[in-house]
Every structure is written in structure tokens, then in C-alpha cells.
Amino acid sequence: MKKITIKTASDIALIKYWGKKDEVLRLPENGSVSIKLDGLDTVTTVEFREDLSKDHITIQGESDNKETARVVKHLDRIRKQFGKDVYAKVVSQNTFPKGTGLSSSGSGFAALTFAATKSLEMNLSEKELSILSRQGSGTACRCACGGFVEWLDGDTSETSYSHSIQSPDFWDVRDVVVVVDEGKKKISSTEGHTLAQSSPFYSERQKRIKGKIEEIKGYIENKEFDKMGMLAEKEALEFHTILLTSETPMIAWYPGTVEVMQEVVRLREEGISCYFTINTGFNVHVLTLPEYEKQVQERMMALSSVQKVLLAKVGDKPQEVNEHLF
Ligand code: PMV
């Protein structure tokens, strides 16, 4: 049993996963498409040791909370699947704020799955790693792959996995991640998924989602940035319509979120190609091209509600690194 450290990029969904058809297996109601984000990374070190009598988990310097309990649950799943009876020490760090709608659970559970199975010397395929990661966190299913990624909805655990549509070097797209608040988001996506069907607009969304996935894959294939960006932006607004109209309405946006969205529209009017998308949090992803990145960054930093801006490029699949966290 080796000590293994894995670095995994988070991702941003262009077409979003919302609603589950199986809570336990985390089978999504619909497929989704995302871009991995090099620059928003989780680094996780795992070491299984015979001398431990329980798991010791530290995430961002904190132990014994809801998140570390979720990690223990995932380690139990891995132990059960591979017939292992040994505990682990796990230390995990993000390069970006967690719990703010920037998919830290996606990169976190993919990093954990890769590091834990490697530490146990299990030699899994990318598909198997994607399936196993999915059971820890839905978006981790996509984070197990690199570049531009599609998660197939699937009706069974074996058919719900992700694959790379294009590698990271296929197309240089940038994500200017605009942080308007670093506090924890109020909406937990785990709970949010259970409310998806209660929106009167959810069934309408589901009717069109397969078409949207095919459309966005075509735009990626042909490198049609404006078409891809516009569809991703409209999809984000549709997704938030579902949140706003669920039985318990979920209002994710802060005033700063809206300020950023309006600035994106203004930038476009000035001829700068950029488009926003938002998950369940209040921070905003602004998709753009390398030639506009600096301008977008400067304009975002000039807004009164913006705390900081993180820059991301298209990221790769999880990678093993030599610097351990303990
Ligand atoms: O993986 P979860 O349960 O955190 O769900 C995340 C869902 C969205 O971020 C809103 C959309 C997506 O596909 O990433």
C-alpha cells in the first residue's frame, strides 16, 4: 500500500446535471457536458496503513465534519468493493474556495477515488474510475476525465459514466472565475437535486436536454465559441429557473452575481466574446477566448462586488504528483 497524491481539476458544466433518478447510485436524470478547469484544482494524498484503527481525514485543514464523514463513506464503498479491511489517512487541499458553487466536491471525490484505488494498488480503467467517483459525488464522474467531457446518463451504474469528447489541447478556451463571495453557499446540491422534479418547468427541460447536449457537442467539435457560449449561458438561466420555481425556491444569486452577469452582457456589446454560467452558488464562470481573457479579468476586478478572479484553462484528467501533503 503506497502513499499516493493525485491532483484533479474541477469542471464547469455547459449543460448541467440536475435531478437524480437513483439517489444512492447517483444516477442523473440527464446527461451533461463540461469543461475541466486547470487552475481550480484539488490535491489529495491517501495512505492506507495497517496501524490505523480508523480513517483520519483532513480537508482544508478541518477534520470531523459533514464532508469528512462523506469521505469515510466513500472509503467504505471502496473497501467493500475491493474486499479490503484497512484504514487510511487522507489530506486534501483545494486551490479555490470550497462550498461556493465551484464544484469542489467533483474534483475532491475524483482525486480521492484515484488516490485511494491507486494506494490499494487496484488497476482500474478510466470508465471504472468514473463510475466509482460518481458514487461519491455526481460531478466527480466527469472530473475523472480530461478536456471536454460528456457524462452519459445511463439507467444502471455500469452505463452512467463519463468520457472525454476532446482532449485539453484541442481548443484553448478560458474560464475567468469571478468570486463575489467566499462564504459557504446556502444551497447544497445534494439536497437541491431532490427538488428538481417539483418545478413545473422541469419536464419541459428534460424534453429538450438531449437535443441541447448534441448541439453543444457540435459547437465544441467545430470550435464555434459564440454558439457554444450562448447556449451555455441560456442553459445556466434555464437551470436557475428550475431552482427558482422548485417547491422550496432556491435563490442562489447575490447582488454581485447579477452585477457580473450584466457586465458580461455589456462586454459582449463592446465586441468582447464572453458568456456566463453559474452552478448552485453565487460565483460566476465567465467563458472566453485567450485574446479577451485579460480584458475580461480587468473589467471584472473593477466591479465593486468582486473579491477576486481565478483564471482557468482547459484541464486534464487526474494526475499523480510527487509532492505529498503529509
Ligand atoms: O455533483 P453535485 O451534486 O454537486 O451537483 C452539481 C450540479 C451542478 O453543478 C449544478 C451542475 C453540474 O452539472 O455541475
Side-chain angles (χ1 to χ4, degrees), residues 110-125:
L112 176 70
T113 305
F114 275 63
T117 54
K118 237 179 162 171
S119 173
L120 289 171
E121 295 171 61
M122 300 283 118
N123 197 13
L124 303 188
S125 66

Side-chain angles (χ1 to χ4, degrees), residues 13 16-18 103 105 137-139 142 189-190 193 239 279-280:
K16 301 192 187 291
Y17 142 57
W18 199 239
S103 296
S105 68
S137 150
T139 44
R142 295 189 309 244
S189 42
T190 303
H193 285 287
F239 162 64
N279 286 341
T280 44

Side-chain angles (χ1 to χ4, degrees), residues 240-300:
H240 281 269
T241 304
I242 302 293
L243 293 187
L244 290 166
T245 53
S246 293
E247 197 177 75
T248 308
M250 293 172 272
I251 307 169
W253 302 343
Y254 286 178
T257 315
V258 179
E259 193 186 15
V260 172
M261 289 153 76
Q262 285 171 335
E263 187 69 352
V264 167
V265 175
R266 247 188 313 272
L267 281 163
R268 273 209 301 274
E269 283 163 4
E270 294 170 26
I272 296 163
S273 229
C274 60
Y275 300 85
F276 65 77
T277 179
I278 310 163
N279 286 341
T280 44
F282 32 76
N283 294 323
V284 186
H285 293 259
V286 183
L287 301 168
T288 190
L289 291 167
E291 57 268 39
Y292 304 118
E293 186 190 53
K294 200 164 184 302
Q295 262 172 302
V296 173
Q297 180 189 12
E298 283 169 4
R299 287 284 289 271
M300 293 301 157

